[in-house]
Amino acid sequence: AQSVTQLGSHVSVSEGALVLLRCNYSSSVPPYLFWYVQYPNQGLQLLLKYTTGATLVKGINGFEAEFKKSETSFHLTKPSAHMSDAAEYFCAVAPSDSGGYQKVTFGIGTKLQVIP
Amino acid sequence: DSGVTQTPKHLITATGQRVTLRCSPRSGDLSVYWYQQSLDQGLQFLIQYYNGEERAKGNILERFSAQQFPDLHSELNLSSLELGDSALYFCASSVDLDPYEQYFGPGTRLTVT
């Protein structure tokens, strides 16, 4: 069984400030972890993913996330927010042993507002 | 543009009716996934097809069915529609069975009145 908890359904930051979106997961096997972004009236776009190897993962648009097994966390950060970062962000988890069977579980999403 | 296309963009229909949503995956992608996104349930995985065969099922109702055709496009059929079926329906595709990089289409917004 697996689950994802995103802390904060709405987050507001000032333009230029640090963006921190929190994600905690639960998984009975080693997880694969993802962050997706959804802009208004669009589908989801993969920002970054952790599968194996380096625990600090860099993605598109200056975002990065760190897998912390001891804290069961995969928080998303960006040093300086841009207005264009305003969107909804989804954390997702999948078991690493699913053998091709799709078992990705998405969090409820966090809407990021960037204030000028 | 992800390369995944979905039609129609919007669909308004009445309770009890049946609708078909269509998805064309990215060129070369063999796997297609269907998701339902609603305000109260979030993003829910419905079903996955790989090269024409059903591979995984998620929270898909018995009133819903899907198929993937030889040209790899997929259709999601929703029947006996209820008000609660109003949602955004996304299709995603990936190259192979181990998908962890899915490309999402723009979605079909279904409104049941």
Side-chain angles (χ1 to χ4, degrees):
Chain A
Q2 56 189 24
S3 65
V4 172
T5 302
Q6 290 184 241
L7 298 174
S9 58
H10 290 80
V11 170
S12 293
V13 299
S14 298
E15 192 175 14
L18 171 72
V19 175
L20 171 60
L21 304 182
R22 299 178 186 274
C23 172
N24 288 89
Y25 70 89
S26 169
S27 178
S28 55
V29 299
Y32 289 166
L33 295 158
F34 314 85
W35 276 99
Y36 282 85
V37 61
Q38 184 179 27
Y39 297 102
N41 302 313
Q42 294 186 27
L44 278 70
Q45 180 184 5
L46 183 66
L47 268 180
L48 50 80
K49 64 180 178 183
Y50 167 79
T51 53
T52 58
T55 56
L56 181 63
V57 180
K58 294 186 186 298
I60 61 173
N61 301 339
F63 284 94
E64 62 181 37
E66 187 171 11
F67 170 55
K68 291 187 176 181
K69 184 178 177 181
S70 61
E71 298 177 10
T72 61
S73 69
F74 192 58
H75 302 331
L76 182 70
T77 61
K78 182 174 180 178
S80 176
H82 291 183
M83 296 300 296
S84 60
D85 295 327
E88 190 160 16
Y89 293 80
F90 293 87
C91 182
V93 63
S96 55
D97 65 349
S98 71
Y101 290 85
Q102 182 54 261
K103 292 180 182 176
V104 178
T105 300
F106 286 84
I108 200 71
T110 297
K111 285 189 177 172
L112 176 66
Q113 179 186 24
V114 182
I115 303 167
Chain B
D1 184 354
S2 66
V4 178
T5 61
Q6 290 187 248
T7 57
K9 278 191 173 182
H10 301 277
L11 197 51
I12 302 174
T13 188
T15 54
Q17 295 298 305
R18 173 189 168 95
V19 298
T20 298
L21 313 183
R22 183 188 169 103
C23 167
S24 292
R26 290 189 323 155
S27 177
D29 285 359
L30 299 179
S31 272
V32 169
Y33 314 84
W34 286 98
Y35 291 88
Q36 179 193 59
Q37 186 180 36
S38 60
L39 284 175
D40 54 344
Q41 298 280 339
L43 192 65
Q44 300 284 321
F45 166 66
L46 296 178
I47 196 163
Q48 176 197 5
Y49 277 82
Y50 175 77
N51 204 20
E53 292 187 6
E54 181 184 305
R55 275 295 179 174
K57 264 186 173 179
N59 301 324
I60 188 166
L61 300 172
E62 284 191 12
R63 301 183 285 109
F64 296 0
S65 65
Q67 52 184 329
Q68 187 180 27
F69 295 87
D71 66 353
L72 301 177
H73 91 271
S74 178
E75 293 181 355
L76 179 67
N77 300 296
L78 314 176
S79 61
S80 302
L81 285 168
E82 302 175 359
L83 294 177
D85 297 327
S86 296
L88 261 173
Y89 291 84
F90 287 106
C91 167
S93 72
S94 67
V95 172
D96 54 23
L97 270 180
D98 209 8
Y100 301 115
E101 188 151 347
Q102 296 180 37
Y103 295 85
F104 280 74
T108 293
R109 182 171 292 281
L110 173 66
T111 302
V112 182
T113 61

